[in-house]
Amino acid sequence: MRDFTSDLGALALNTATLGHNLDGYGAGWPVERVVDACAERGFAGLVFWRREIGTRAQVIGERVRASGMKVVGLCRTPYITGPGAPATLDEARESVDMAAALGTDVLTIVTGGTELGTKGVEESQKLLAERVASLAEYAAACGVSLALEPLNPMFGGNRTCLFTVAEALRICDQVGAPNAGVAIDVYHVWWDTTLSETLNAAGPRRILGYHLCDWLADTTDMLLDRGMMGDGVADLKSIRRAVEGAGYDGACEVEVFSAGNWWQRDPAEVLDTIVERFRTQC
Ligand code: ZN
């Protein structure tokens, strides 16, 4: 397992951790200030959300690289199943274009929920596989890989139809594209005692991202009360051991949605805390 105590070479910030991706939250730092603040602290990478990028993908990508970091991902496609999913994949293709213009090779997919007019998840997973296959072909031509992120089952219905890493990997097998894989997020897998076995069977090629936070024992808001690493009950070292044991050696992306706590703080304090926790807790 990699030693992070004195090496930040894998540390990336998912900018949602500073809160400004939701209206009314965070300190509202512009992208440039976030880039500079991360570079100063020795972060190695950044993951952006589409709403921050707008039409400036190329400029922002260059800015990140000029500061010595990488854009390690883009969040995310629009939903591609369930309520709120656009009728076509056009917007999803545009998000692929944005990832390519930013200069990142990973675009995350949060699938969307149960398809309207159906029950359960199987029908939605079938549609998901078809749609991801179509999108993967387009993404491959742009040099972009698609990371399917399974979510904790409490997000079923309106946000996801993928609940486990094993299910996400099965969809990847059905899609059959070399540029389809999974993102492993501590918040969604911390309870999964089969993680190591499942990832080992899949191999390193399918693991496209690893997302860090913690699960607070007394979570008060399922979406917006994630814990900072070390504050909760997730066994972070054991999860990373499972991910790296399967061959993953990419970025570890800190993604803490925390409306009541971390989004209320000065972003400089949040970034300093991340660096310290990354070295000691992850
Ligand atoms: Zn995530």
Side-chain angles (χ1 to χ4, degrees), residues 186-249:
V186 163
Y187 198 69
H188 304 303
V189 306
W190 72 275
W191 52 270
D192 186 352
T193 52
T194 68
L195 184 65
S196 181
E197 194 185 331
T198 306
L199 290 177
N200 276 329
R205 201 170 53 83
R206 290 283 193 219
I207 307 174
L208 299 178
Y210 177 48
H211 304 175
L212 283 167
C213 65
D214 210 333
W215 179 276
L216 298 175
D218 291 312
T219 298
T220 58
D221 181 309
M222 291 303 169
L223 185 62
L224 301 181
D225 189 29
R226 289 182 177 215
M228 182 62 71
M229 298 84 75
D231 288 345
V233 295
D235 187 346
L236 296 175
K237 291 209 163 102
S238 155
I239 298 169
R240 184 158 70 89
R241 198 172 298 119
V243 173
E244 292 189 4
Y248 182 74
D249 61 0

Short mmCIF file of all heavy atoms in Angstrom, two decimals, residues 186-249:
data_model
loop_
_atom_site.label_atom_id
_atom_site.label_comp_id
_atom_site.label_asym_id
_atom_site.label_seq_id
_atom_site.Cartn_x
_atom_site.Cartn_y
_atom_site.Cartn_z
N VAL A 186 -15.83 5.77 -0.77
CA VAL A 186 -15.92 5.29 0.62
C VAL A 186 -17.34 5.40 1.16
O VAL A 186 -17.84 4.49 1.84
CB VAL A 186 -14.96 6.11 1.52
CG1 VAL A 186 -15.29 5.94 2.99
CG2 VAL A 186 -13.51 5.72 1.24
N TYR A 187 -18.02 6.49 0.84
CA TYR A 187 -19.37 6.72 1.38
C TYR A 187 -20.33 5.61 0.97
O TYR A 187 -21.28 5.31 1.70
CB TYR A 187 -19.89 8.06 0.86
CG TYR A 187 -21.06 8.62 1.65
CD1 TYR A 187 -20.88 9.09 2.95
CD2 TYR A 187 -22.33 8.70 1.09
CE1 TYR A 187 -21.93 9.63 3.67
CE2 TYR A 187 -23.39 9.24 1.80
CZ TYR A 187 -23.19 9.70 3.09
OH TYR A 187 -24.24 10.24 3.80
N HIS A 188 -20.08 5.03 -0.19
CA HIS A 188 -21.01 4.05 -0.75
C HIS A 188 -20.59 2.61 -0.55
O HIS A 188 -21.36 1.70 -0.81
CB HIS A 188 -21.20 4.31 -2.25
CG HIS A 188 -21.67 5.70 -2.55
ND1 HIS A 188 -22.82 6.22 -2.01
CD2 HIS A 188 -21.15 6.68 -3.31
CE1 HIS A 188 -22.98 7.46 -2.44
NE2 HIS A 188 -21.98 7.77 -3.22
N VAL A 189 -19.34 2.39 -0.11
CA VAL A 189 -18.85 0.99 -0.02
C VAL A 189 -18.34 0.62 1.37
O VAL A 189 -17.93 -0.53 1.57
CB VAL A 189 -17.73 0.71 -1.05
CG1 VAL A 189 -18.17 1.07 -2.46
CG2 VAL A 189 -16.43 1.44 -0.68
N TRP A 190 -18.35 1.54 2.32
CA TRP A 190 -17.65 1.29 3.58
C TRP A 190 -18.18 0.06 4.31
O TRP A 190 -17.47 -0.58 5.09
CB TRP A 190 -17.72 2.52 4.49
CG TRP A 190 -19.08 2.75 5.07
CD1 TRP A 190 -20.11 3.41 4.50
CD2 TRP A 190 -19.56 2.28 6.34
NE1 TRP A 190 -21.21 3.39 5.32
CE2 TRP A 190 -20.89 2.72 6.46
CE3 TRP A 190 -18.98 1.56 7.39
CZ2 TRP A 190 -21.67 2.43 7.59
CZ3 TRP A 190 -19.75 1.28 8.51
CH2 TRP A 190 -21.09 1.72 8.59
N TRP A 191 -19.43 -0.28 4.03
CA TRP A 191 -20.11 -1.40 4.70
C TRP A 191 -19.87 -2.73 4.00
O TRP A 191 -20.27 -3.79 4.49
CB TRP A 191 -21.61 -1.11 4.72
CG TRP A 191 -22.08 -0.78 3.32
CD1 TRP A 191 -22.14 0.46 2.75
CD2 TRP A 191 -22.47 -1.70 2.30
NE1 TRP A 191 -22.54 0.37 1.43
CE2 TRP A 191 -22.76 -0.95 1.14
CE3 TRP A 191 -22.61 -3.10 2.25
CZ2 TRP A 191 -23.16 -1.53 -0.06
CZ3 TRP A 191 -23.01 -3.68 1.06
CH2 TRP A 191 -23.29 -2.89 -0.08
N ASP A 192 -19.26 -2.72 2.81
CA ASP A 192 -19.24 -3.88 1.93
C ASP A 192 -18.04 -4.78 2.22
O ASP A 192 -16.92 -4.51 1.81
CB ASP A 192 -19.20 -3.39 0.47
CG ASP A 192 -19.31 -4.53 -0.53
OD1 ASP A 192 -19.27 -5.71 -0.11
OD2 ASP A 192 -19.45 -4.25 -1.73
N THR A 193 -18.29 -5.87 2.94
CA THR A 193 -17.20 -6.76 3.36
C THR A 193 -16.68 -7.63 2.20
O THR A 193 -15.71 -8.34 2.36
CB THR A 193 -17.64 -7.68 4.51
OG1 THR A 193 -18.84 -8.33 4.11
CG2 THR A 193 -17.90 -6.88 5.78
N THR A 194 -17.35 -7.55 1.04
CA THR A 194 -16.89 -8.35 -0.11
C THR A 194 -16.05 -7.51 -1.08
O THR A 194 -15.68 -7.99 -2.14
CB THR A 194 -18.08 -8.94 -0.90
OG1 THR A 194 -18.79 -7.85 -1.53
CG2 THR A 194 -19.03 -9.70 0.01
N LEU A 195 -15.77 -6.27 -0.70
CA LEU A 195 -15.14 -5.33 -1.64
C LEU A 195 -13.82 -5.87 -2.23
O LEU A 195 -13.61 -5.86 -3.44
CB LEU A 195 -14.90 -3.98 -0.95
CG LEU A 195 -14.33 -2.89 -1.84
CD1 LEU A 195 -15.30 -2.50 -2.94
CD2 LEU A 195 -13.95 -1.67 -1.00
N SER A 196 -12.95 -6.35 -1.34
CA SER A 196 -11.63 -6.79 -1.78
C SER A 196 -11.76 -7.92 -2.80
O SER A 196 -11.16 -7.89 -3.88
CB SER A 196 -10.83 -7.23 -0.56
OG SER A 196 -9.57 -7.64 -0.95
N GLU A 197 -12.57 -8.90 -2.44
CA GLU A 197 -12.78 -10.07 -3.31
C GLU A 197 -13.36 -9.64 -4.67
O GLU A 197 -12.90 -10.08 -5.73
CB GLU A 197 -13.80 -10.95 -2.57
CG GLU A 197 -13.97 -12.34 -3.03
CD GLU A 197 -15.12 -12.99 -2.22
OE1 GLU A 197 -15.35 -12.60 -1.04
OE2 GLU A 197 -15.77 -13.84 -2.79
N THR A 198 -14.34 -8.74 -4.62
CA THR A 198 -15.00 -8.29 -5.84
C THR A 198 -14.02 -7.55 -6.74
O THR A 198 -13.98 -7.77 -7.96
CB THR A 198 -16.17 -7.34 -5.48
OG1 THR A 198 -17.02 -8.01 -4.56
CG2 THR A 198 -16.96 -6.95 -6.71
N LEU A 199 -13.23 -6.67 -6.16
CA LEU A 199 -12.29 -5.88 -6.96
C LEU A 199 -11.16 -6.75 -7.51
O LEU A 199 -10.72 -6.57 -8.64
CB LEU A 199 -11.71 -4.73 -6.13
CG LEU A 199 -12.69 -3.60 -5.81
CD1 LEU A 199 -12.02 -2.56 -4.92
CD2 LEU A 199 -13.23 -2.95 -7.07
N ASN A 200 -10.71 -7.69 -6.69
CA ASN A 200 -9.64 -8.58 -7.17
C ASN A 200 -10.09 -9.36 -8.39
O ASN A 200 -9.33 -9.56 -9.33
CB ASN A 200 -9.23 -9.55 -6.06
CG ASN A 200 -8.22 -8.92 -5.14
OD1 ASN A 200 -7.42 -8.08 -5.56
ND2 ASN A 200 -8.26 -9.29 -3.88
N ALA A 201 -11.35 -9.79 -8.37
CA ALA A 201 -11.86 -10.56 -9.50
C ALA A 201 -11.93 -9.69 -10.76
O ALA A 201 -11.77 -10.18 -11.87
CB ALA A 201 -13.23 -11.14 -9.16
N ALA A 202 -12.18 -8.40 -10.56
CA ALA A 202 -12.35 -7.51 -11.72
C ALA A 202 -11.01 -7.07 -12.30
O ALA A 202 -10.90 -6.88 -13.51
CB ALA A 202 -13.15 -6.28 -11.31
N GLY A 203 -10.02 -6.89 -11.45
CA GLY A 203 -8.71 -6.44 -11.94
C GLY A 203 -8.62 -4.93 -12.04
O GLY A 203 -9.62 -4.23 -12.01
N PRO A 204 -7.38 -4.42 -12.16
CA PRO A 204 -7.13 -2.99 -12.04
C PRO A 204 -7.69 -2.14 -13.18
O PRO A 204 -7.98 -0.97 -13.00
CB PRO A 204 -5.59 -2.91 -12.06
CG PRO A 204 -5.13 -4.19 -12.66
CD PRO A 204 -6.16 -5.21 -12.34
N ARG A 205 -7.86 -2.74 -14.34
CA ARG A 205 -8.27 -1.96 -15.51
C ARG A 205 -9.65 -1.31 -15.31
O ARG A 205 -9.95 -0.27 -15.89
CB ARG A 205 -8.31 -2.91 -16.72
CG ARG A 205 -8.23 -2.28 -18.07
CD ARG A 205 -8.03 -3.36 -19.14
NE ARG A 205 -9.01 -4.43 -19.07
CZ ARG A 205 -10.23 -4.36 -19.61
NH1 ARG A 205 -10.61 -3.30 -20.27
NH2 ARG A 205 -11.07 -5.39 -19.50
N ARG A 206 -10.47 -1.94 -14.49
CA ARG A 206 -11.84 -1.45 -14.31
C ARG A 206 -11.96 -0.36 -13.24
O ARG A 206 -13.00 0.26 -13.10
CB ARG A 206 -12.76 -2.60 -13.92
CG ARG A 206 -13.02 -3.60 -15.02
CD ARG A 206 -14.03 -3.07 -16.02
NE ARG A 206 -14.51 -4.12 -16.91
CZ ARG A 206 -14.73 -3.98 -18.20
NH1 ARG A 206 -14.52 -2.81 -18.78
NH2 ARG A 206 -15.19 -4.97 -18.92
N ILE A 207 -10.92 -0.16 -12.44
CA ILE A 207 -11.04 0.81 -11.34
C ILE A 207 -10.53 2.16 -11.84
O ILE A 207 -9.35 2.34 -12.09
CB ILE A 207 -10.25 0.35 -10.10
CG1 ILE A 207 -10.65 -1.07 -9.70
CG2 ILE A 207 -10.51 1.32 -8.94
CD1 ILE A 207 -9.81 -1.66 -8.57
N LEU A 208 -11.46 3.09 -11.96
CA LEU A 208 -11.11 4.38 -12.57
C LEU A 208 -11.06 5.52 -11.56
O LEU A 208 -10.69 6.64 -11.92
CB LEU A 208 -12.13 4.72 -13.67
CG LEU A 208 -12.22 3.72 -14.84
CD1 LEU A 208 -13.29 4.16 -15.82
CD2 LEU A 208 -10.88 3.59 -15.54
N GLY A 209 -11.45 5.27 -10.33
CA GLY A 209 -11.39 6.35 -9.34
C GLY A 209 -11.61 5.83 -7.94
O GLY A 209 -12.23 4.77 -7.75
N TYR A 210 -11.05 6.56 -6.98
CA TYR A 210 -11.26 6.23 -5.57
C TYR A 210 -11.58 7.53 -4.82
O TYR A 210 -10.80 8.48 -4.87
CB TYR A 210 -9.99 5.56 -5.00
CG TYR A 210 -10.08 5.25 -3.52
CD1 TYR A 210 -11.19 4.60 -2.99
CD2 TYR A 210 -9.07 5.63 -2.65
CE1 TYR A 210 -11.29 4.33 -1.64
CE2 TYR A 210 -9.14 5.35 -1.29
CZ TYR A 210 -10.26 4.70 -0.79
OH TYR A 210 -10.35 4.43 0.55
N HIS A 211 -12.74 7.58 -4.17
CA HIS A 211 -13.25 8.81 -3.55
C HIS A 211 -13.23 8.69 -2.03
O HIS A 211 -13.76 7.73 -1.47
CB HIS A 211 -14.69 9.09 -4.00
CG HIS A 211 -14.84 9.16 -5.50
ND1 HIS A 211 -16.06 9.30 -6.11
CD2 HIS A 211 -13.91 9.12 -6.49
CE1 HIS A 211 -15.88 9.34 -7.43
NE2 HIS A 211 -14.59 9.22 -7.68
N LEU A 212 -12.64 9.68 -1.39
CA LEU A 212 -12.46 9.66 0.06
C LEU A 212 -13.42 10.57 0.80
O LEU A 212 -13.68 11.71 0.38
CB LEU A 212 -11.05 10.14 0.40
CG LEU A 212 -9.89 9.17 0.19
CD1 LEU A 212 -8.57 9.93 0.28
CD2 LEU A 212 -9.94 8.05 1.21
N CYS A 213 -13.92 10.09 1.92
CA CYS A 213 -14.65 10.89 2.90
C CYS A 213 -14.75 9.97 4.12
O CYS A 213 -13.91 9.10 4.28
CB CYS A 213 -16.03 11.32 2.38
SG CYS A 213 -17.17 9.94 2.10
N ASP A 214 -15.76 10.13 4.94
CA ASP A 214 -15.97 9.18 6.03
C ASP A 214 -17.47 9.07 6.26
O ASP A 214 -18.24 9.94 5.83
CB ASP A 214 -15.25 9.65 7.31
CG ASP A 214 -14.80 8.48 8.19
OD1 ASP A 214 -15.45 7.41 8.13
OD2 ASP A 214 -13.81 8.65 8.92
N TRP A 215 -17.86 7.99 6.91
CA TRP A 215 -19.28 7.78 7.26
C TRP A 215 -19.45 8.12 8.73
O TRP A 215 -18.90 7.43 9.59
CB TRP A 215 -19.71 6.34 7.00
CG TRP A 215 -21.15 6.12 7.36
CD1 TRP A 215 -21.65 5.84 8.60
CD2 TRP A 215 -22.28 6.23 6.50
NE1 TRP A 215 -23.02 5.77 8.56
CE2 TRP A 215 -23.43 5.99 7.28
CE3 TRP A 215 -22.43 6.49 5.13
CZ2 TRP A 215 -24.72 6.01 6.74
CZ3 TRP A 215 -23.72 6.51 4.61
CH2 TRP A 215 -24.83 6.27 5.40
N LEU A 216 -20.19 9.18 9.01
CA LEU A 216 -20.40 9.59 10.39
C LEU A 216 -21.38 8.62 11.07
O LEU A 216 -22.42 8.29 10.49
CB LEU A 216 -20.95 11.02 10.44
CG LEU A 216 -20.02 12.10 9.86
CD1 LEU A 216 -20.73 13.45 9.85
CD2 LEU A 216 -18.72 12.18 10.65
N ALA A 217 -21.04 8.20 12.28
CA ALA A 217 -21.90 7.24 12.97
C ALA A 217 -23.32 7.78 13.13
O ALA A 217 -24.29 7.04 13.03
CB ALA A 217 -21.29 6.90 14.33
N ASP A 218 -23.43 9.08 13.36
CA ASP A 218 -24.75 9.70 13.48
C ASP A 218 -25.00 10.64 12.31
O ASP A 218 -25.07 11.86 12.47
CB ASP A 218 -24.86 10.47 14.80
CG ASP A 218 -24.87 9.53 15.99
OD1 ASP A 218 -25.63 8.54 15.95
OD2 ASP A 218 -24.10 9.76 16.94
N THR A 219 -25.13 10.06 11.14
CA THR A 219 -25.37 10.86 9.94
C THR A 219 -26.74 11.52 10.03
O THR A 219 -27.73 10.86 10.32
CB THR A 219 -25.29 9.95 8.70
OG1 THR A 219 -23.99 9.40 8.63
CG2 THR A 219 -25.60 10.70 7.43
N THR A 220 -26.78 12.84 9.79
CA THR A 220 -28.06 13.55 9.94
C THR A 220 -28.72 13.87 8.60
O THR A 220 -29.89 14.21 8.55
CB THR A 220 -27.85 14.88 10.70
OG1 THR A 220 -26.90 15.67 9.96
CG2 THR A 220 -27.34 14.64 12.10
N ASP A 221 -27.96 13.82 7.52
CA ASP A 221 -28.51 14.11 6.19
C ASP A 221 -27.81 13.18 5.21
O ASP A 221 -26.60 13.21 5.10
CB ASP A 221 -28.24 15.59 5.83
CG ASP A 221 -28.81 15.97 4.47
OD1 ASP A 221 -28.55 15.27 3.47
OD2 ASP A 221 -29.49 17.00 4.40
N MET A 222 -28.60 12.32 4.58
CA MET A 222 -28.00 11.26 3.77
C MET A 222 -27.13 11.82 2.64
O MET A 222 -26.12 11.23 2.28
CB MET A 222 -29.08 10.35 3.19
CG MET A 222 -29.78 9.53 4.24
SD MET A 222 -28.59 8.53 5.18
CE MET A 222 -29.59 7.94 6.52
N LEU A 223 -27.52 12.95 2.07
CA LEU A 223 -26.74 13.49 0.95
C LEU A 223 -25.62 14.42 1.40
O LEU A 223 -24.51 14.38 0.88
CB LEU A 223 -27.69 14.23 -0.01
CG LEU A 223 -27.06 14.76 -1.30
CD1 LEU A 223 -26.50 13.62 -2.15
CD2 LEU A 223 -28.07 15.58 -2.10
N LEU A 224 -25.94 15.29 2.37
CA LEU A 224 -25.05 16.43 2.64
C LEU A 224 -24.42 16.42 4.03
O LEU A 224 -24.08 17.46 4.57
CB LEU A 224 -25.81 17.75 2.43
CG LEU A 224 -26.41 17.96 1.03
CD1 LEU A 224 -27.12 19.30 0.94
CD2 LEU A 224 -25.32 17.87 -0.04
N ASP A 225 -24.27 15.22 4.61
CA ASP A 225 -23.60 15.14 5.92
C ASP A 225 -22.49 14.09 5.88
O ASP A 225 -22.38 13.25 6.77
CB ASP A 225 -24.61 14.83 7.03
CG ASP A 225 -24.00 14.96 8.41
OD1 ASP A 225 -23.04 15.76 8.57
OD2 ASP A 225 -24.44 14.25 9.34
N ARG A 226 -21.67 14.17 4.86
CA ARG A 226 -20.51 13.27 4.82
C ARG A 226 -19.47 13.74 5.84
O ARG A 226 -19.37 14.94 6.12
CB ARG A 226 -19.87 13.30 3.43
CG ARG A 226 -20.68 12.61 2.35
CD ARG A 226 -19.93 12.66 1.05
NE ARG A 226 -20.62 11.95 0.00
CZ ARG A 226 -20.01 11.25 -0.97
NH1 ARG A 226 -18.70 11.21 -1.02
NH2 ARG A 226 -20.70 10.63 -1.90
N GLY A 227 -18.70 12.80 6.33
CA GLY A 227 -17.66 13.15 7.29
C GLY A 227 -16.31 13.38 6.62
O GLY A 227 -16.03 12.83 5.56
N MET A 228 -15.49 14.19 7.26
CA MET A 228 -14.09 14.33 6.87
C MET A 228 -13.37 13.05 7.31
O MET A 228 -13.73 12.44 8.33
CB MET A 228 -13.49 15.55 7.57
CG MET A 228 -12.05 15.85 7.21
SD MET A 228 -11.76 16.21 5.47
CE MET A 228 -12.51 17.84 5.29
N MET A 229 -12.36 12.67 6.55
CA MET A 229 -11.65 11.43 6.84
C MET A 229 -11.13 11.44 8.28
O MET A 229 -10.46 12.38 8.69
CB MET A 229 -10.47 11.26 5.88
CG MET A 229 -10.85 11.17 4.41
SD MET A 229 -11.06 12.80 3.68
CE MET A 229 -9.37 13.31 3.49
N GLY A 230 -11.44 10.37 8.99
CA GLY A 230 -11.01 10.26 10.38
C GLY A 230 -12.10 10.58 11.37
O GLY A 230 -11.99 10.25 12.55
N ASP A 231 -13.18 11.23 10.93
CA ASP A 231 -14.25 11.62 11.85
C ASP A 231 -15.36 10.57 11.97
O ASP A 231 -16.27 10.74 12.78
CB ASP A 231 -14.89 12.94 11.41
CG ASP A 231 -13.96 14.13 11.65
OD1 ASP A 231 -12.97 13.96 12.40
OD2 ASP A 231 -14.23 15.22 11.09
N GLY A 232 -15.29 9.53 11.16
CA GLY A 232 -16.39 8.57 11.16
C GLY A 232 -15.95 7.15 11.43
O GLY A 232 -14.91 6.91 12.06
N VAL A 233 -16.75 6.20 10.95
CA VAL A 233 -16.54 4.79 11.28
C VAL A 233 -16.04 3.96 10.10
O VAL A 233 -15.88 2.75 10.22
CB VAL A 233 -17.84 4.16 11.84
CG1 VAL A 233 -18.20 4.80 13.17
CG2 VAL A 233 -19.00 4.28 10.85
N ALA A 234 -15.82 4.58 8.95
CA ALA A 234 -15.30 3.81 7.81
C ALA A 234 -13.84 3.43 8.08
O ALA A 234 -13.07 4.24 8.58
CB ALA A 234 -15.38 4.64 6.52
N ASP A 235 -13.48 2.20 7.72
CA ASP A 235 -12.10 1.73 7.91
C ASP A 235 -11.31 2.13 6.65
O ASP A 235 -11.17 1.35 5.70
CB ASP A 235 -12.09 0.22 8.12
CG ASP A 235 -10.70 -0.30 8.48
OD1 ASP A 235 -9.71 0.45 8.30
OD2 ASP A 235 -10.61 -1.46 8.93
N LEU A 236 -10.83 3.36 6.65
CA LEU A 236 -10.27 3.94 5.42
C LEU A 236 -9.04 3.18 4.92
O LEU A 236 -8.86 2.99 3.72
CB LEU A 236 -9.92 5.41 5.64
CG LEU A 236 -11.13 6.30 5.95
CD1 LEU A 236 -10.67 7.71 6.28
CD2 LEU A 236 -12.10 6.33 4.78
N LYS A 237 -8.21 2.75 5.85
CA LYS A 237 -6.99 2.05 5.40
C LYS A 237 -7.34 0.70 4.80
O LYS A 237 -6.76 0.28 3.80
CB LYS A 237 -6.01 1.92 6.56
CG LYS A 237 -5.44 3.29 6.95
CD LYS A 237 -4.04 3.21 7.54
CE LYS A 237 -3.36 4.58 7.52
NZ LYS A 237 -3.33 5.29 8.78
N SER A 238 -8.32 0.05 5.39
CA SER A 238 -8.71 -1.26 4.87
C SER A 238 -9.38 -1.13 3.49
O SER A 238 -9.15 -1.96 2.59
CB SER A 238 -9.64 -1.92 5.89
OG SER A 238 -10.47 -2.83 5.29
N ILE A 239 -10.16 -0.07 3.29
CA ILE A 239 -10.79 0.12 1.98
C ILE A 239 -9.72 0.42 0.93
O ILE A 239 -9.73 -0.13 -0.17
CB ILE A 239 -11.85 1.25 2.04
CG1 ILE A 239 -12.97 0.88 3.01
CG2 ILE A 239 -12.43 1.51 0.65
CD1 ILE A 239 -13.91 2.02 3.34
N ARG A 240 -8.77 1.26 1.29
CA ARG A 240 -7.70 1.57 0.33
C ARG A 240 -6.86 0.33 0.03
O ARG A 240 -6.42 0.11 -1.10
CB ARG A 240 -6.81 2.71 0.84
CG ARG A 240 -5.75 3.12 -0.18
CD ARG A 240 -5.24 4.50 0.05
NE ARG A 240 -4.42 4.67 1.22
CZ ARG A 240 -3.09 4.50 1.26
NH1 ARG A 240 -2.44 4.14 0.17
NH2 ARG A 240 -2.42 4.70 2.38
N ARG A 241 -6.68 -0.48 1.07
CA ARG A 241 -5.93 -1.72 0.84
C ARG A 241 -6.65 -2.60 -0.19
O ARG A 241 -6.03 -3.20 -1.07
CB ARG A 241 -5.77 -2.49 2.17
CG ARG A 241 -4.69 -3.54 2.15
CD ARG A 241 -4.44 -4.14 3.54
NE ARG A 241 -3.98 -3.15 4.50
CZ ARG A 241 -4.62 -2.82 5.62
NH1 ARG A 241 -5.76 -3.43 5.94
NH2 ARG A 241 -4.13 -1.91 6.43
N ALA A 242 -7.97 -2.63 -0.10
CA ALA A 242 -8.76 -3.43 -1.07
C ALA A 242 -8.61 -2.86 -2.48
O ALA A 242 -8.42 -3.59 -3.45
CB ALA A 242 -10.23 -3.45 -0.65
N VAL A 243 -8.67 -1.53 -2.58
CA VAL A 243 -8.62 -0.88 -3.90
C VAL A 243 -7.22 -1.02 -4.50
O VAL A 243 -7.06 -1.39 -5.66
CB VAL A 243 -9.03 0.61 -3.75
CG1 VAL A 243 -8.82 1.36 -5.05
CG2 VAL A 243 -10.49 0.72 -3.31
N GLU A 244 -6.22 -0.76 -3.69
CA GLU A 244 -4.84 -0.85 -4.20
C GLU A 244 -4.42 -2.31 -4.37
O GLU A 244 -3.64 -2.62 -5.26
CB GLU A 244 -3.88 -0.11 -3.26
CG GLU A 244 -4.13 1.39 -3.30
CD GLU A 244 -3.06 2.20 -2.57
OE1 GLU A 244 -2.07 1.63 -2.08
OE2 GLU A 244 -3.24 3.44 -2.49
N GLY A 245 -4.95 -3.18 -3.53
CA GLY A 245 -4.65 -4.61 -3.66
C GLY A 245 -5.12 -5.16 -5.00
O GLY A 245 -4.55 -6.12 -5.54
N ALA A 246 -6.16 -4.53 -5.55
CA ALA A 246 -6.65 -4.95 -6.88
C ALA A 246 -5.87 -4.28 -8.00
O ALA A 246 -6.16 -4.48 -9.17
CB ALA A 246 -8.13 -4.64 -7.00
N GLY A 247 -4.90 -3.44 -7.63
CA GLY A 247 -4.01 -2.87 -8.65
C GLY A 247 -4.20 -1.39 -8.91
O GLY A 247 -3.50 -0.81 -9.74
N TYR A 248 -5.12 -0.74 -8.20
CA TYR A 248 -5.33 0.69 -8.45
C TYR A 248 -4.17 1.52 -7.90
O TYR A 248 -3.77 1.36 -6.75
CB TYR A 248 -6.64 1.15 -7.79
CG TYR A 248 -6.96 2.61 -8.05
CD1 TYR A 248 -7.41 3.03 -9.29
CD2 TYR A 248 -6.80 3.56 -7.04
CE1 TYR A 248 -7.70 4.36 -9.54
CE2 TYR A 248 -7.09 4.90 -7.28
CZ TYR A 248 -7.53 5.29 -8.52
OH TYR A 248 -7.81 6.61 -8.77
N ASP A 249 -3.64 2.42 -8.73
CA ASP A 249 -2.57 3.29 -8.24
C ASP A 249 -2.81 4.75 -8.64
O ASP A 249 -1.87 5.53 -8.77
CB ASP A 249 -1.20 2.81 -8.75
CG ASP A 249 -1.10 2.83 -10.28
OD1 ASP A 249 -2.09 3.21 -10.93
OD2 ASP A 249 -0.04 2.47 -10.81
#
